[in-house]
């Protein structure tokens, strides 16, 4: 039999604060900034799900696969753009950026830097 006593669980929310109390501006959802990375052409990428969990039970191949990153689709990228402010939507320039090769898309003529 299931017991009738259930503990109230708090539902986590990652919603946008529409108006801050001090200045009346939108606020960035900090979970987006910590979990995702925005590329120069507007796409968002994230590491594979569960890449840092239960390493003792994973094979070496699975650990290597977990180090790779995954692109978010267009709907998710639009949603993430709405969850951050303009400051985070601008391109970030870092020294020795490991994502430097992903900031341009050479396969599309409209966004290519090198002439085809």
């Amino acid at each position: 039999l299931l017991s009738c006593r259930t503990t109230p669980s708090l539902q986590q929310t990652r919603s946008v604060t529409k108006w801050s109390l001090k200045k009346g501006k939108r606020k960035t959802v900090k979970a987006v900034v910590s979990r995702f990375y925005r590329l120069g052409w507007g796409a968002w990428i994230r590491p594979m799900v569960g890449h840092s969990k239960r390493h003792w039970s994973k094979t070496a191949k699975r650990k290597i696969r977990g180090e790779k990153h995954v692109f978010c689709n267009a709907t998710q990228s639009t949603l993430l753009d709405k969850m951050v402010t303009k400051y985070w939507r601008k391109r970030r320039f870092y020294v020795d950026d490991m994502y430097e090769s992903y900031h341009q898309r050479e396969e599309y003529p409209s966004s290519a830097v090198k002439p085809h």
Side-chain angles (χ1 to χ4, degrees), residues 33-88:
V33 178
S34 64
R35 295 176 187 175
F36 298 88
Y37 182 78
R38 191 174 195 274
L39 297 175
W41 50 278
W44 290 79
I45 58 174
R46 61 171 176 79
M48 294 280 273
V49 174
H51 71 284
S52 60
K53 301 242 182 186
R54 297 171 55 104
H55 273 259
W56 55 269
S57 68
K58 292 182 182 176
T59 62
K61 263 185 158 177
R62 278 187 69 190
K63 288 178 191 173
I64 291 169
R65 195 181 329 136
E67 293 173 4
K68 296 183 177 157
H69 282 67
V70 180
F71 283 100
C72 295
N73 63 28
T75 307
Q76 292 166 342
S77 293
T78 306
L79 180 67
L80 291 169
D81 278 339
K82 290 177 185 174
M83 293 174 83
V84 296
T85 56
K86 189 190 289 187
Y87 174 81
W88 294 106

Side-chain angles (χ1 to χ4, degrees), residues 12-43:
Q12 71 176 356
T13 60
R14 297 189 198 106
S15 57
V16 176
T17 302
K18 296 285 187 184
W19 309 104
S20 67
L21 294 175
K22 290 196 176 184
K23 293 196 172 183
K25 295 181 178 179
R26 286 176 76 109
K27 291 196 165 203
T28 297
V29 178
K30 299 297 182 191
V32 173
V33 178
S34 64
R35 295 176 187 175
F36 298 88
Y37 182 78
R38 191 174 195 274
L39 297 175
W41 50 278

Side-chain angles (χ1 to χ4, degrees), residues 86-98:
K86 189 190 289 187
Y87 174 81
W88 294 106
R89 284 193 293 269
K90 286 190 292 189
R91 168 126 186 241
R92 320 247 36 101
F93 292 95
Y94 299 108
V95 178
D96 298 330
D97 189 10
M98 61 190 262

